[in-house]
Structure formats: structure tokens, C-alpha cells
Amino acid sequence: MIFHKIFVPLPFVLYLLHMNLNELNPSQLSAVTYNDGPQLVIAGAGAGKTRVLTYKIAHLLEEGTWAGNILALTFTNKAAREMKSRIQQLVGEEVSRHLWMGTFHSICSRILRQEAEAIGYARDFSIYDTTDSKSVIKHIVKDFHLDDKVYKSSVVLGRISMAKNLMQSPDQYAANRDYLMRDRFEKMFDMARIYAEYNRRLVSANAMDFDDLLMKTNVLFKKHPEVLAKYQANFHYVLVDEYQDTNYAQYLIVKALAEPENKICVVGDDAQSIYSFRGADISNILNFQKGYENAQLFKLERNYRSTQTIVNAANSLIRHNKGQIPKTVYSELKIGERISLSTHMSDRDEAKMVAKIIKQSPKSSWDDFAVMYRTNAQSRVIEDELRQLSIPYRIYGGTSFYQRKEIKDALAYLRLATNQQDDEAFLRIVNFPARGIGDTTINKLYETARMHAVPLMQVALQPDSTGVDISVATQKRVVEFARMIERFAERSQMEDAYTFAQELLTESGIMREAKSDSSQEGIARAENLEEMLSSIHEFCEQRKEEGIDFTPIADFLAEVSLLTDQDQNLDDTQARVTLLTIHAAKGLEFNTTLIVGLEEGLFPSAFCQSAREIEEERRLLYVAITRSQQRCYMMNARQRFRNGQVSFTTPSRFLKDIDSQFILKTDTPLQPKTFANRMQQTASQAKTTSTIPHNLTSTTGMKEKSKKRAIRSEWAKDDRVMHRVFGKGTVLDIYRENDNDKIDILFDEVGKKTLLITYAKLERI
């Protein structure tokens, strides 16, 4: 029997439950004890929603509901395990093990195992993971004689996944005008045909992918109402965690199973809906009360995590979103420090401040700190600075910058170009990007090289003379690759590291490969490669400051190899600073958080243009701020080296959304120290109450005009100066432009240059 009831006496358990219910605040208690109909529990950040869900299940058991009649849906296995553990502590394992509790996918899988034959599957169907699905798509693209550079498996799978989450069949996909226009624009004319063939092959293999588990469950319920009725009769109460993250397919499953009595409780926070790129639809939670007659709204507004100031700052930010369920989160903890906001001249200076704050914070464990950023690529410069101060760190939910696949691939190209005996680098990149050199060929090259005791490059350059057993066509592809590396090897000593790396990443096809992938993962890979180029450019500029005019790529590789070694030698058991994207931070909390990169085009992302997308970006910052328990630092930079050039930035629009009473501006001096001191003295003599800015941002919050205008400086027109790279020169002009203090100098040897005063490092002569 599927639904076999076992009744267990609970007198002692219920006594404990009554004792623990006294620990709930009035709002939590109301949400826990209401069982008369549909209810929406809006749980603000740090409001104890897991406790409410746990006690609600225990309360249902106390009221006489059998455990097997309760369905609790979560989004992660971690959340499911945590709730199960807490419920076991309250009611014991003998009772809790009968609960239908798990992720959407695990519960749907459980249902489909029982009912698979009704929709044409055997009960022992396979479940394909992402790797399996991509493999199927690659074979289809090959069989259809399509260009795998256009039909990248990750992009194709992403589009199929989104369609399935919206319950769109291949026929519906083919009839969708928006899909067709998008696919035509990107020259993916055969997407609908691939989708149909992909589904056909999965059915033929008696397999489902993750999205099928949701889609097929909906199909089962729609085509077989008697099956749906059986599960509706069994589930007397349905609970859903993180309801703001549900997609359309999940919404339909929940709605179907809760009918007809609609004994349903959904818990979530619309202010923390940040996963639309995965298909999450915030309208599911915003419109819950419209979809369920007589639905009751409960608000958990007391935050148990953060200081009053942090909570109030987050409230003032999210208040600017129009699409939300109004609530006022509050904290009864101490008032706490204001959020520190600082602007730095560059992303390197920003990273230095991050490391300095962490290093100098008293009486703290490394585990107390989290550095959060919008994109993975931002971690590189932060990692560099943490290493400089010997601060241990971990990349949460990701990989250290120089250990990421796309970075290791690029470094392998650079290594092989400078050392043609590097067989490991050869094996890594000989068929990346794909150039028709398969594993069989690679194995033959490897065995031949071992037999002759020569490097793989030698075999690849002369496959005839070494006797490797491969076809003429394959020989041609191998030789073309080897000669490309040989050409790069000749240039590696003649071009500076940055120019060389730029050209190699372009001509080898690595950059094109990354940028042709429009999925979230593809965009991140392209950003990481651009960031690697930034690190090489920065390395070259640093060497110039040290008086070294030419830096070959070998010097950079020698430097970065030490960094990657250090990554691998970190002790996993030691306390560490956590580095993570804000998307990965949801659900976590830290004593002190440092949020970096609060600039237009980065946060909010340049990819977000519509009002709906901007509101999600604002929610993302809300999530970041509310991870903080005691202290929160926010930072931005005036310039970043991105996409091959220095980009001057403007502060994120979201900073204006936070009430200024909760912000402490702590900008560090960006002018030469002598000039800053002179400005302070002038302010003191004037006996004014206003603060004279030591940097380029007005401390009164007024915007500086971007037009060119004269400024006071320790330098004057016609001063003779010495620059360690450009030599001697004469000052032509000193001025402020685009919020940056600049100096024009006519150098004796190289002509006119415009420099940022902060970085000029001039000496008077």
C-alpha cells in the first residue's frame, strides 16, 4: 500500500510541543496554529520561517493529521534535511518518516515511479542529469549536421528547460512567435526541431530530465484526473517553502494537489525573489491571494538576525520596488553601526580595503566575514589581496578564480606557447575549442610520444615521421593546431604579456567560444576570461611602475603558478573568509559582510534593462544587506579594467535608495596626502561646518559635474616633473573631469600624456 497509516501515541511529544510553542512570537504562533484554509506567510529576512514550518507540521500532527497526509515541498535537499531533522526532534523518527517531505523534483519522482505507466514510461525510468542531457543534444546537433558552435549544448538545453518550466511542448515552442524571433536572430533556426528530437530520444530511452519530472507530473494529473484525485485525497495539507522561487510548472503542481479543500500554506518573501533566470516567477507569490479564495495573509516581520540599523537600511532600499507585498521588518536587537559606504579609485584599491578591514578587525574569526559580489569574475582581485595579507578564504558554491575551467584552459594555451614540452597543457587544449581531434586520436598521439620519448608537440608537428596511426584528414587538423601553437611561441618573446594573451585568446577561438554561449554560465565564462586579461594588464602596468618596460607572458605565468599552488594548499579544516556571489548567499548569514562593486553596469547588471529586471536587482541587494548580523560594508570603484580598457564608472543607483541616516560614508583620500592636508587646513581656517571632500565624491551627497574644471593641486602649470616610466616632462594643465583629478604632461621623450593624479607618482625636478 502506498498510503499505509501508522498511529503513534504522542503524549510526551505534545507536551514538548506546547512548551516550545511558548517560544514563538505572536505572529509566528498565529501562522503556526491557523489551519482553516489557504494561507500565505510572508517571512521577512531572518524572521524564523523554518521554525514556523517545523512547528506548523508538528501542530498539524497534534491536531490529529496523520504524517502520511502531510506534503511539504522545499527547493533544496539541504532545506529538506534541516526541516526533517527539526521535526524528528519534536515528534520522533517513527512519526516523521511518514511525512511526504522533499524537493519538488524528489516528490514528483516519487509520484511518477508509482504512476509512470499511465504516461507511457516504465517505472524504472532513468533520470538524466545536466551532463547526460547535454550529451544527447550534442549527438542530435551532429546527426542533424548543424554547427555546434551555433547550437551549443548549454544554450540549447537552457531554452528547452525554460520551455518545459513554462509547460511548452515542442509544438507550442514552434508556434511561439517570441521564441521564433529570438532563435532566428541568433541563427538557431532548428531549435524547435531539436527540442522535438530531444524529447523523442528521452522517451525512447525510458528517461526523463529534471524538468520532465515537473512537466510529466503536470501531464499525468491533466490526462488522468483519477490519479490526481487519489493524491488530492491523500494530502490533507500542503506546505511550500520559498514559494517566491516557484516556476509555472511548480505553481500548477501545488495548485492541483491542494484542491479541492485548499488546505495549503506557502511561506516565502517576495523581497528575496532573485532567481528569474532559472524560471522563478514572482507573480506566483504576489498573486497568491487572488488565486485562492479566502486566503489569509500572515506577516513575520521581526528579524532575529540583524541589528536595527541594518534592517532599517534594507527596508528603505526595498521600499522603492513597486511589485511587492508591503511589510515593515523590524529588529529588537541593538541599534548597531551604520552601514559603511566607501568609494575607491580602482577595483584594486577596493580589494585592498576589503583585505585591510578583515585583517584589522579585532576579536574576530575569519569565518565571521563574507565578501559578496555580483559576478564571479570580481573575485580575482579580491583573492589576490587576501593572499597578500595571508588571509585564508574559501569560494562558496564556486571555484577559486585561477581554478575555474575556462581560466585553466586559457592558461594552458599560454603555457604551451611558452613551453612546448608541457604535455599536460597540450592534452588539455588540443581539442578545445573543438577542432575534430577526438579521444582516440589523442590517445594515439600520447602513446607515440611515450614510445619515442618526445613531447606531444613534436609528434603533432611531424605525425608522418613519428608513425602515429591516424587518418590524413586528422593529421591535417593536428598539424594545424601544432603550427598555431608554434606561431604563438615565436611571438611570446616579442609581444608584451597583455597584447600576446589578447591575441592568443582571440585567434585560438577561446574567447569566441565563450561569447557565443548566451546562457548564464556562458556569460560568466566570458566575464572570467576578460577578468583574466585584466589581471595580465594589471601585472604589466605594475611592472612598468617598477621600471620594467617589457613584460613577457612567461613572467606572468611564473607569478600566477604560485597563486594556484597556494589555492591548492589551503587547509580545508581551518577558519576562512567566505567569498561568494550574492545569488549563492541567499539563506546564509555572517557577522560581517562586505559588498563590493556597487556601480552602474555591474550592480545593477548591464544586462538588466526593464523595470521588472531592475526591481529584481534591487531585491538582490536587499538579500546581500540582510545577510549581515552586526556590520555591513558597501564599496564601489571609480574605474575598472574591463573588456580591454579602463572603464570609468558611476555609483549604483541603488545607493540613493538607502536612507542616508543609515549610511556612514568613509571614503579614503584619493588626492596626494599633502594636498588632502592642505584642504583640511583650509577648511579649518574657514571655520565652516561643512566637510571638505578628500576625494572626488562630495560628502554632502551632491553630484559633481562631469565638465572639465580647474582644481587646486600641489602641482602647477610649467612645473618640471619626473615619471618613472615616461621620464622627464612639463606640466601643461591640472583639472577635474568626469569626477577624476587629472594632469596633462608634455614628456620630453614620449609626448603628451594625461594621467590620474592619484596614480601618477610624480617627482618634482
Side-chain angles (χ1 to χ4, degrees):
M1 294 290 291
I2 302 172
F3 311 126
H4 181 62
K5 296 188 178 183
I6 299 178
F7 293 95
V8 178
L10 302 175
F12 182 66
V13 168
L14 298 184
Y15 168 75
L16 290 177
L17 176 60
H18 280 300
M19 293 291 291
N20 287 321
L21 284 177
N22 294 328
E23 298 177 3
L24 301 176
N25 66 41
S27 297
Q28 291 173 329
L29 186 61
S30 297
V32 165
T33 56
Y34 178 81
N35 297 326
D36 296 331
Q39 68 177 124
L40 168 62
V41 181
I42 294 296
K49 71 175 179 64
T50 304
R51 170 181 283 195
V52 167
L53 281 168
T54 302
Y55 279 95
K56 187 166 190 68
I57 291 171
H59 182 68
L60 288 169
L61 295 171
E62 177 192 17
E63 294 288 298
T65 303
W66 177 56
N69 295 139
I70 297 173
L71 171 64
L73 294 163
T74 67
F75 270 85
T76 66
N77 289 311
K78 178 184 175 183
R81 286 193 299 268
E82 182 180 352
M83 272 212 294
K84 279 183 180 178
S85 175
R86 293 193 188 188
I87 291 169
Q88 283 178 8
Q89 292 173 12
L90 285 174
V91 303
E93 184 178 357
E94 181 59 32
V95 173
S96 65
R97 68 185 179 89
H98 295 286
L99 292 167
W100 280 66
M101 177 181 287
T103 65
F104 274 92
H105 292 91
S106 67
I107 294 298
C108 287
S109 174
R110 185 174 172 183
I111 292 172
L112 290 171
R113 292 289 182 198
Q114 295 294 328
E115 315 294 343
E117 293 172 0
I119 56 172
Y121 279 83
R123 290 189 178 188
D124 61 349
F125 62 84
S126 300
I127 298 176
Y128 280 7
D129 63 15
T130 301
T131 302
D132 297 325
S133 295
K134 285 182 179 180
S135 179
V136 174
I137 290 168
K138 287 177 181 177
H139 284 111
I140 293 171
V141 169
K142 183 178 181 181
D143 293 345
F144 283 4
H145 305 291
L146 300 172
D147 187 347
D148 59 5
K149 294 182 175 60
V150 175
Y151 293 93
K152 296 178 70 65
S153 60
S154 57
V155 176
V156 173
L157 181 60
R159 294 188 181 184
I160 292 174
S161 175
M162 191 63 74
K164 288 185 176 182
N165 287 333
L166 292 171
M167 297 299 298
Q168 299 280 311
S169 68
D171 288 342
Q172 290 170 315
Y173 186 104
N176 188 299
R177 186 169 177 271
D178 291 337
Y179 293 164
L180 291 177
M181 288 181 64
R182 177 197 61 189
D183 293 342
R184 285 172 182 169
F185 179 76
E186 297 187 17
K187 294 182 171 42
M188 299 176 69
F189 306 104
D190 288 280
M191 260 302 306
R193 189 160 69 105
I194 294 172
Y195 181 10
E197 178 63 13
Y198 172 76
N199 269 8
R200 190 196 67 76
R201 293 193 184 189
L202 260 63
V203 172
S204 177
N206 190 37
M208 298 185 197
D209 63 17
F210 286 141
D211 298 307
D212 280 330
L213 296 175
L214 304 178
M215 191 174 187
K216 300 292 185 184
T217 300
N218 274 302
V219 170
L220 170 70
F221 290 162
K222 186 175 181 179
K223 289 187 174 181
H224 298 277
E226 74 285 358
V227 174
L228 172 60
K230 178 173 65 173
Y231 287 93
Q232 288 173 332
N234 182 75
F235 297 137
H236 297 177
Y237 215 98
V238 178
L239 301 98
V240 187
D241 190 17
E242 304 286 11
Y243 191 67
Q244 77 280 351
D245 293 335
T246 53
N247 59 35
Y248 182 59
Q250 291 162 332
Y251 161 80
L252 291 176
I253 291 168
V254 170
K255 188 168 181 59
L257 289 174
E259 292 175 346
E261 295 187 11
N262 286 333
K263 290 290 187 74
I264 180 174
C265 171
V266 301
V267 182
D269 183 5
D270 54 291
Q272 297 186 67
S273 178
I274 59 173
Y275 295 125
S276 65
F277 65 92
R278 297 179 185 169
D281 187 351
I282 191 175
S283 63
N284 290 346
I285 193 168
L286 295 181
N287 298 329
F288 180 85
Q289 291 175 277
K290 296 178 182 178
Y292 290 87
E293 188 177 354
N294 300 320
Q296 299 296 306
L297 174 64
F298 297 82
K299 296 182 181 180
L300 307 183
E301 297 175 298
R302 181 177 176 183
N303 180 296
Y304 288 88
R305 174 188 301 152
S306 309
T307 65
Q308 294 181 36
T309 298
I310 290 172
V311 169
N312 291 337
N315 285 345
S316 69
L317 168 71
I318 204 64
R319 195 173 293 128
H320 291 269
N321 271 14
K322 293 181 180 179
Q324 64 173 297
I325 298 172
K327 61 180 178 299
T328 303
V329 181
Y330 68 94
S331 171
E332 294 185 356
L333 301 177
K334 65 182 182 179
I335 294 175
E337 303 173 14
R338 285 186 287 173
I339 292 177
S340 171
L341 172 61
S342 59
T343 297
H344 305 275
M345 183 57 79
S346 68
D347 50 348
R348 173 65 63 179
D349 292 328
E350 178 188 64
K352 286 181 183 294
M353 180 55 68
V354 166
K356 181 179 178 182
I357 288 170
I358 295 172
K359 189 74 170 181
Q360 294 182 352
S361 293
K363 299 179 181 177
S364 296
S365 166
W366 300 128
D367 286 331
D368 290 338
F369 298 93
V371 185
M372 292 184 282
Y373 33 78
R374 179 65 181 81
T375 66
N376 274 309
Q378 292 170 258
S379 78
R380 193 270 307 174
V381 68
I382 296 167
E383 291 183 61
D384 289 350
E385 292 304 322
L386 293 179
R387 290 192 195 96
Q388 289 293 322
L389 296 184
S390 300
I391 298 173
Y393 66 87
R394 66 171 62 85
I395 306 290
Y396 181 87
T399 308
S400 179
F401 184 81
Y402 289 107
Q403 294 298 317
R404 291 169 186 153
K405 179 187 181 301
E406 61 273 16
I407 301 303
K408 291 180 75 67
D409 289 338
L411 289 174
Y413 266 99
L414 297 173
R415 283 166 43 197
L416 190 57
T418 56
N419 174 17
Q420 295 182 65
Q421 293 180 304
D422 191 336
D423 284 351
E424 288 302 315
F426 180 100
L427 291 170
R428 186 178 186 93
I429 63 173
V430 64
N431 196 40
F432 181 81
R435 48 178 60 90
I437 302 174
D439 289 343
T440 300
T441 298
I442 294 171
N443 289 334
K444 289 179 178 179
L445 292 171
Y446 180 75
E447 291 301 328
T448 302
R450 286 188 62 191
M451 182 174 64
H452 291 280
V454 296
L456 279 161
M457 269 292 291
Q458 185 173 328
V459 177
L461 283 167
Q462 301 172 332
D464 280 336
S465 61
T466 52
V468 61
D469 181 22
I470 54 179
S471 69
V472 174
T474 303
Q475 277 191 25
K476 182 180 178 182
R477 290 191 287 268
V478 170
V479 171
E480 284 177 354
F481 166 75
R483 286 179 178 170
M484 177 186 69
I485 296 298
E486 206 172 36
R487 290 194 300 272
F488 281 127
E490 293 170 357
R491 291 152 57 181
S492 65
Q493 291 296 322
M494 297 184 292
E495 297 177 341
D496 72 88
Y498 176 64
T499 302
F500 178 78
Q502 257 191 329
E503 294 174 353
L504 187 148
L505 264 60
T506 300
E507 294 177 31
S508 66
I510 292 181
M511 192 63 78
R512 182 177 63 252
E513 174 89 2
K515 290 186 175 181
S516 66
D517 186 345
S518 59
S519 68
Q520 290 290 326
E521 294 81 2
I523 291 170
R525 284 193 290 271
E527 288 176 341
N528 288 337
L529 289 171
E530 291 288 0
E531 182 60 25
M532 192 194 82
L533 288 175
S534 296
S535 72
I536 298 173
H537 181 272
E538 189 176 272
F539 181 73
C540 292
E541 291 302 304
Q542 182 182 343
R543 296 285 289 263
K544 286 180 181 177
E545 292 293 333
E546 295 169 358
I548 303 172
D549 291 333
F550 178 75
T551 300
I553 193 63
D555 288 5
F556 173 79
L557 291 173
E559 181 83 5
V560 80
S561 66
L562 298 176
L563 302 182
T564 53
D565 282 347
Q566 188 169 351
D567 285 343
Q568 295 165 350
N569 292 332
L570 287 173
D571 179 5
D572 287 335
T573 63
Q574 67 176 312
R576 301 194 211 167
V577 173
T578 300
L579 274 59
L580 71 173
T581 64
I582 301 169
H583 281 103
K586 187 170 175 290
L588 305 177
E589 58 184 46
F590 302 91
N591 182 281
T592 301
T593 62
L594 301 98
I595 309 167
V596 299
L598 283 159
E599 301 140 25
E600 287 294 306
L602 186 55
F603 200 172
S605 168
F607 294 103
C608 299
Q609 299 294 330
S610 69
R612 185 183 180 97
E613 291 169 333
I614 292 298
E615 290 209 347
E616 178 157 334
E617 289 286 290
R618 188 178 284 112
R619 293 194 295 269
L620 191 59
L621 181 54
Y622 176 85
V623 167
I625 293 172
T626 54
R627 301 310 94 198
S628 316
Q629 295 173 319
Q630 300 291 329
R631 286 177 296 278
C632 179
Y633 296 85
M634 296 192 301
M635 301 180 191
N636 54 28
R638 293 190 177 280
Q639 60 184 37
R640 288 181 188 272
F641 190 85
R642 302 180 70 189
N643 302 321
Q645 61 183 355
V646 175
S647 300
F648 292 96
T649 67
T650 57
S652 170
R653 70 189 75 180
F654 299 147
L655 296 176
K656 297 177 184 176
D657 294 342
I658 303 174
D659 194 320
S660 60
Q661 67 177 306
F662 306 122
I663 298 291
L664 175 65
K665 291 189 176 180
T666 59
D667 292 353
T668 53
L670 301 181
Q671 304 290 346
K673 187 175 181 180
T674 54
F675 180 46
N677 292 340
R678 190 184 307 164
M679 292 289 281
Q680 288 179 328
Q681 291 168 6
T682 303
S684 177
Q685 291 167 359
K687 296 183 179 179
T688 177
T689 56
S690 65
T691 302
I692 301 296
H694 299 171
N695 50 32
L696 309 181
T697 302
S698 169
T699 54
T700 62
M702 298 291 287
K703 281 187 177 179
E704 295 283 1
K705 296 180 180 179
S706 61
K707 66 182 183 180
K708 179 177 176 179
R709 67 171 186 261
I711 58 170
R712 286 182 292 180
S713 171
E714 63 177 321
W715 305 108
K717 186 178 180 181
D718 296 329
D719 280 351
R720 289 287 288 171
V721 297
M722 169 65 80
H723 188 275
R724 65 176 61 185
V725 175
F726 303 129
K728 296 178 181 180
T730 303
V731 175
L732 299 179
D733 196 7
I734 310 100
Y735 55 93
R736 176 173 295 174
E737 184 179 50
N738 294 327
D739 285 344
N740 291 286
D741 286 4
K742 301 181 179 181
I743 184 169
D744 288 347
I745 303 172
L746 180 62
F747 288 100
D748 299 347
E749 299 293 334
V750 296
K752 182 182 174 181
K753 296 284 185 182
T754 298
L755 307 175
L756 295 174
I757 291 178
T758 302
Y759 286 156
K761 297 184 179 179
L762 301 171
E763 296 179 14
R764 196 181 301 276
I765 57 175

